[in-house]
């Protein structure tokens, strides 16, 4: 899979203005960006900005600069957005079905420590990590949150599998933990899966392996039970910086890892049964990539940066014209059933 730059959705600023998180809706019709000003910008599928709303602090007396938004995810029906914040709260906003609909807080989940990352894998289930090391679940139906499992180490990243029925959490001590709501008959183990050499800030659960990377400038692909399958080592490359974020394609057959001025692309080769690295996408003066979000149909990838820019890329293996009428975009290899 190759990445081709399509457009700049949000121009970068002069100085630090970190894009903290981004999310595509499940129906691919909306794309959300949370800016350094804690404002959520809403774009349509063509990249046109259509709406926005401001997030709120857990307690108004502390003011709007008292927190950072660390995680954001759309509900499976694409009508709500969950926001995880460092002032110990998860808000759920109902954004409606039409552009311009009033934004209403419909759930709030107060926590004991800062929310550090967040997913929304199932209908009423929001999963989020805390600075104290717990991974918790928020039920939007009964407005209650509960602990899935606890560790002693800050949660730096969360990732779900392709079906959304399993999650991974990466921790500051390097631990990667796996949990299944339903293992779908795979029989794979739960609990601590592997001890990565550094905090796995870049964590993705692909179709055939788990990909993790961080400040040691190495990308490691782990097998289903934590065995090392492949290592891509850039520690001797002086132009490479630490890996900051990763995203698996919706089909799980490609992984993109972001660092400084660069996106690295790994494609799964069914023939070889291994990851193959495509030519990296290098963009001078892009600076550190802080967030990645893949459109649910696999055709677009968005990257947010330290300076507040959001760039959109086209993702495809190849294109063809069918009957001189329809353009077909191949976003993953054909897999025989």
């Amino acid at each position: 899979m190759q990445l081709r730059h399509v457009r700049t959705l949000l121009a970068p600023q002069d100085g630090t203005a970190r894009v903290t998180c981004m999310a595509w809706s499940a129906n691919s019709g909306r794309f959300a960006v949370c800016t350094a000003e804690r404002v959520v910008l809403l774009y349509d599928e063509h990249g046109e900005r259509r709406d926005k709303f401001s997030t709120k602090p857990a307690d108004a007396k502390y003011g709007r600069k008292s927190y950072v938004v660390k995680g954001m995810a759309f509900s499976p029906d694409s009508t709500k957005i969950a926001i995880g914040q460092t002032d110990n709260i998860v808000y759920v906003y109902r954004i409606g079905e039409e552009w311009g609909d009033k934004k209403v807080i419909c759930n709030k989940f107060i926590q004991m420590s800062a929310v550090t990352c967040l997913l929304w894998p199932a209908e009423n289930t929001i999963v989020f990590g805390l600075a104290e090391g717990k991974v918790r679940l928020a039920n939007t139906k009964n407005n209650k949150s509960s602990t899935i499992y606890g560790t002693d180490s800050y949660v730096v990243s969360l990732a779900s599998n392709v079906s959304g029925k399993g999650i991974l959490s990466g921790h500051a001590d390097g631990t990667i933990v796996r949990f299944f709501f339903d293992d779908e008959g795979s029989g794979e183990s739960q609990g601590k899966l592997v001890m990565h050499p550094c905090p796995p800030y870049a964590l993705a659960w692909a179709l055939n392996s788990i990909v993790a990377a961080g400040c040691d400038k190495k990308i490691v692909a782990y097998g289903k039970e934590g065995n090392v399958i492949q290592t891509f080592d850039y520690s001797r490359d002086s132009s490479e910086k630490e890996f900051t974020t990763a995203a698996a394609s919706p089909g799980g057959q490609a992984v993109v890892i972001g660092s400084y001025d660069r996106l690295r692309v790994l494609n799964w080769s069914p023939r070889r049964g291994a990851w193959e690295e495509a030519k990296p996408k290098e963009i001078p003066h892009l600076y550190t990539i802080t967030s990645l979000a893949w459109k649910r149909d696999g055709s677009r990838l968005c990257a947010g940066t330290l300076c507040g820019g959001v760039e959109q890329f086209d993702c495809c293996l190849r294109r063809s014209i069918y009957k001189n009428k329809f353009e077909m975009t191949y976003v993953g290899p054909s897999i025989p059933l």
Side-chain angles (χ1 to χ4, degrees):
M1 178 174 289
Q2 298 292 335
L3 300 179
R4 180 178 62 85
H5 186 262
V6 178
R7 66 190 300 180
T8 298
L9 298 187
L10 192 61
Q13 301 180 29
D14 292 329
T16 302
R18 185 187 186 98
V19 173
T20 53
C21 44
M22 307 186 301
W24 277 98
S25 64
N27 63 9
S28 294
R30 295 181 182 187
F31 173 62
V33 176
C34 189
T35 68
E37 288 77 37
R38 303 156 193 82
V39 173
V40 177
L41 307 177
L42 294 169
Y43 295 80
D44 64 19
E45 62 179 321
H46 306 295
E48 298 297 329
R49 200 166 110 191
R50 304 291 296 272
D51 211 345
K52 69 176 184 177
F53 66 93
S54 296
T55 60
K56 291 179 165 48
D59 191 329
K61 72 181 179 185
Y62 295 118
R64 287 200 51 237
K65 294 186 177 180
S66 62
Y67 65 96
V68 175
V69 175
K70 296 289 282 184
M72 178 168 64
F74 275 90
S75 61
D77 66 3
S78 304
T79 63
K80 301 186 187 86
I81 292 180
I83 303 279
Q85 302 177 182
T86 56
D87 55 351
N88 306 4
I89 199 164
V90 175
Y91 281 117
V92 180
Y93 292 82
R94 183 181 289 111
I95 60 170
E97 296 183 11
E98 302 294 331
W99 299 112
D101 282 357
K102 189 177 180 182
K103 313 300 182 286
V104 180
I105 294 172
C106 51
N107 299 91
K108 59 181 178 179
F109 303 94
I110 299 167
Q111 304 303 313
M112 297 300 289
S113 68
V115 179
T116 59
C117 40
L118 180 144
L119 299 172
W120 197 331
E123 188 178 355
N124 297 306
T125 304
I126 300 166
V127 176
F128 54 93
L130 298 179
E132 67 185 72
K134 289 179 180 175
V135 174
R136 306 202 80 207
L137 180 153
N139 187 317
T140 57
K141 209 168 188 178
N142 61 20
N143 215 36
K144 292 180 179 178
S145 56
S146 56
T147 299
I148 303 174
Y149 55 87
T151 70
D152 296 323
S153 184
Y154 184 105
V155 185
V156 299
S157 54
L158 282 174
S160 68
N161 60 2
V162 172
S163 68
K165 293 179 179 177
I167 60 167
L168 293 172
S169 61
H171 299 263
D173 64 357
T175 304
I176 298 174
V177 180
R178 179 167 60 189
F179 176 83
F180 286 104
F181 297 105
D182 177 359
D183 71 3
E184 301 170 277
S186 69
E188 294 170 15
S189 63
Q190 300 197 76
K192 180 180 174 180
L193 184 68
V194 70
M195 183 67 95
H196 192 66
C198 64
Y201 276 91
L203 183 65
W205 195 342
L207 197 61
N208 292 285
S209 58
I210 290 153
V211 176
C215 60
D216 64 354
K217 301 202 284 189
K218 295 178 182 178
I219 301 170
V220 183
Y222 294 101
K224 293 181 178 178
E225 292 303 329
N227 54 305
V228 175
I229 298 174
Q230 281 173 276
T231 300
F232 298 85
D233 187 348
Y234 309 100
S235 59
R236 296 178 184 273
D237 182 350
S238 60
S239 72
E240 186 60 270
K241 302 291 190 288
E242 65 184 77
F243 294 110
T244 49
T245 184
S249 64
Q253 291 157 344
V255 173
V256 171
I257 304 101
S259 58
Y260 181 89
D261 281 357
R262 186 178 287 144
L263 290 165
R264 292 197 179 272
V265 183
L266 299 181
N267 296 310
W268 179 257
S269 169
R271 183 176 53 82
R272 286 186 58 224
W275 290 102
E276 295 177 344
E277 186 179 7
K279 184 180 178 183
K281 189 72 178 177
E282 302 194 30
I283 304 177
H285 314 302
L286 191 67
Y287 293 99
T288 301
I289 294 164
T290 57
S291 184
L292 290 170
W294 218 305
K295 192 176 180 183
R296 296 300 288 271
D297 65 5
S299 65
R300 291 282 190 272
L301 177 76
C302 291
T305 72
L306 183 67
C307 294
V310 177
E311 307 294 339
Q312 189 178 78
F313 299 89
D314 173 79
C315 316
C316 79
L317 288 174
R318 65 185 178 94
R319 282 191 171 84
S320 63
I321 302 296
Y322 179 67
K323 291 187 175 179
N324 291 326
K325 289 183 180 179
F326 306 102
E327 183 181 75
M328 299 171 70
T329 301
Y330 295 81
V331 296
S334 300
I335 297 177
L337 298 175

